[in-house]
Amino acid sequence: MEQIAANKLSTRDHISSVVTRQRERLMQLLYAPMQRITALTSQIVHTSEQPLGDRSSLDALLKEVFSSVPYAKYLYIMNRDGVQFSSSMSCEGLIAEHCGRDRSDRPYMREALSVANYLDRSRETCYQQWPYLGDHTQAVDFLLCEAYISQNALRPSMTATYFLRDPKGTHIGFLGADFALRDLPPIEGLYENRRRSWHFSPATQRDQVRQASRLDREINTVISVLEELITFRGVYHVKIHFSSSQTVLWQMNDPYQYRILGVTDLLDPDSCLAYPNCSYPEQATIRPKDIRFVLERMEALRRSDNPIYLRSFSLNIFNGLVGTSFLSDDSYYIPYDDFLKSDCFG
């Protein structure tokens, strides 16, 4: 199978440029097979009286072509309103109960439906925002959405959509392909933080009213992104500053430097693409399945009604310690299994 691992990164690279290159490689890898599948789908539609053809025929097609879409977790067909018309094809086989699922409000479909509505209004055959492949060819009818957190697995994911058209060129639906970011091919090397000043503004004892930061408001995304980075991307130590919404990360492939993620990067699951895939270390004290539990316990502590609230949080998977500091300036370093107990702070 074709690999898309990046060349060794330049020390001048930063997170946005690495993510952009990874997305470009994925588009190059996915465009051709999805284009072939939509052409086969168009043939089924041509021989049917139904707008999207016969469901059983589409399911048979998805089963036949699934392996041609590298790294795909699910492959399925939707009507032009974003409602799933076929079963979902996966490595385990067809999932019939997915038929009828309304995906119109998912992030990837909001983008695709917005493009479709624009085309309907303008009656144009070319949309100016179609992405470009590496050879400067415009990938017409193809969209690779920004990464998002999946509804069921709560993990950073990505979806590619390809517009389905009947033999006359009329838009009739979408082909969708879902990917878990952790299953995508690895990069080599790590991006470099730009050398610049960072300013943190912690609360003081005079400020007894906790102000919800952007990080607080989107804490579920934070938990999923950090779980991905720690469990599958080699991050072994994190420190979160809640008031300033900044996070500091240490990564096993480059342990002598730390990297600072601003809130925009931390809340963008695409940022995971800038970190190389890395097996969870056997020497770690914390079990990988407990990472999410620790982060959810952190969230509960941050949201507690105690006026002496949590200001910062750290986690190291090797020594198994959780660090916390509070408005009172009290700090604690606690074994993670004790931290998971609801009464660990009295």
Side-chain angles (χ1 to χ4, degrees):
M1 180 178 292
E2 182 182 356
Q3 296 293 315
I4 61 169
N7 295 327
K8 190 172 181 63
L9 303 180
S10 163
T11 57
R12 294 187 298 274
D13 282 334
H14 48 84
I15 192 166
S16 60
S17 61
V18 177
V19 168
T20 297
R21 289 211 308 275
Q22 283 292 81
R23 290 178 56 84
E24 290 173 348
R25 293 186 179 97
L26 287 170
M27 286 190 292
Q28 293 170 19
L29 188 65
L30 299 175
Y31 179 69
M34 293 187 70
Q35 185 183 47
R36 287 194 294 269
I37 295 170
T38 55
L40 294 172
T41 304
S42 181
Q43 294 176 15
I44 294 175
V45 172
H46 182 61
T47 59
S48 172
E49 296 180 356
Q50 302 298 321
L52 276 173
D54 176 66
R55 177 188 164 190
S56 61
S57 298
L58 293 176
D59 284 356
L61 173 63
L62 293 177
K63 190 172 183 179
E64 179 183 348
V65 301
F66 178 74
S67 61
S68 69
V69 184
Y71 311 105
K73 191 170 184 65
Y74 300 109
L75 194 66
Y76 47 89
I77 290 171
M78 297 166 284
N79 66 20
R80 60 174 293 132
D81 296 319
V83 178
Q84 188 164 333
F85 182 79
S86 71
S87 302
S88 292
M89 183 60 196
S90 69
C91 293
E92 290 74 33
L94 287 169
I95 307 174
E97 55 267 31
H98 284 190
C99 182
R101 177 177 289 182
D102 187 351
R103 298 177 178 268
S104 60
D105 197 42
R106 299 298 292 141
Y108 50 91
M109 284 312 299
R110 287 199 297 267
E111 179 180 357
L113 290 170
S114 174
V115 172
N117 290 335
Y118 173 82
L119 294 177
D120 287 344
R121 289 195 307 271
S122 63
R123 297 180 180 177
E124 295 180 7
T125 57
C126 182
Y127 177 61
Q128 294 301 315
Q129 297 304 312
W130 294 127
Y132 281 85
L133 303 179
D135 60 359
H136 304 294
T137 300
Q138 197 170 27
V140 176
D141 281 346
F142 176 85
L143 294 172
L144 182 63
C145 80
E146 295 182 355
Y148 58 91
I149 304 302
S150 62
Q151 280 187 324
N152 296 324
L154 300 178
R155 64 183 56 161
S157 303
M158 185 177 288
T159 295
T161 56
Y162 203 109
F163 281 50
L164 294 174
R165 300 184 183 276
D166 65 15
K168 296 180 179 179
T170 303
H171 173 227
I172 57 174
F174 303 90
L175 171 68
D178 292 347
F179 306 86
L181 263 59
R182 63 188 60 173
D183 296 334
L184 296 176
I187 63 170
E188 296 179 7
L190 273 170
Y191 72 93
E192 195 72 29
N193 263 145
R194 290 171 175 168
R195 292 178 60 84
R196 65 181 182 86
S197 298
W198 297 77
H199 178 220
F200 295 89
S201 300
T204 67
Q205 279 192 290
R206 293 190 301 273
D207 180 16
Q208 294 294 324
V209 179
R210 175 176 45 196
Q211 299 295 324
S213 64
R214 185 182 173 194
L215 189 152
D216 287 313
R217 293 191 294 272
E218 302 186 51
I219 192 66
N220 291 331
T221 298
V222 171
I223 289 174
S224 291
V225 168
L226 289 180
E227 181 189 24
E228 176 82 10
L229 292 174
I230 295 170
T231 309
F232 292 95
R233 305 280 175 168
V235 171
Y236 69 91
H237 187 105
V238 301
K239 183 166 186 179
I240 303 173
H241 300 267
F242 284 100
S243 59
S244 58
S245 297
Q246 309 290 338
T247 301
V248 187
L249 308 175
W250 286 258
Q251 211 269 354
M252 288 187 290
N253 289 354
D254 191 16
Y256 299 113
Q257 298 189 60
Y258 58 77
R259 286 165 174 78
I260 301 174
L261 278 186
V263 63
T264 300
D265 289 329
L266 182 62
L267 293 175
D268 181 3
D270 266 329
S271 297
C272 297
L273 293 173
Y275 288 78
N277 302 43
C278 188
S279 299
Y280 196 80
E282 295 181 359
Q283 308 94 314
T285 299
I286 302 179
R287 298 174 298 181
K289 67 178 184 179
D290 286 336
I291 298 297
R292 176 169 283 271
F293 294 139
V294 172
L295 295 173
E296 288 176 344
R297 172 67 179 133
M298 169 201 72
E299 176 194 7
L301 191 61
R302 173 68 177 171
R303 293 186 185 278
S304 73
D305 294 330
N306 193 327
I308 310 300
Y309 57 83
L310 183 68
R311 285 171 46 182
S312 68
F313 170 90
S314 66
L315 172 65
N316 187 296
I317 66 172
F318 287 111
N319 62 22
L321 289 180
V322 171
T324 58
S325 66
F326 295 84
L327 181 64
S328 62
D329 283 336
D330 288 338
S331 297
Y332 299 83
Y333 289 91
I334 310 160
Y336 86 97
D337 44 356
D338 289 340
F339 180 74
L340 289 175
K341 299 175 183 177
S342 59
D343 60 349
C344 64
F345 292 99

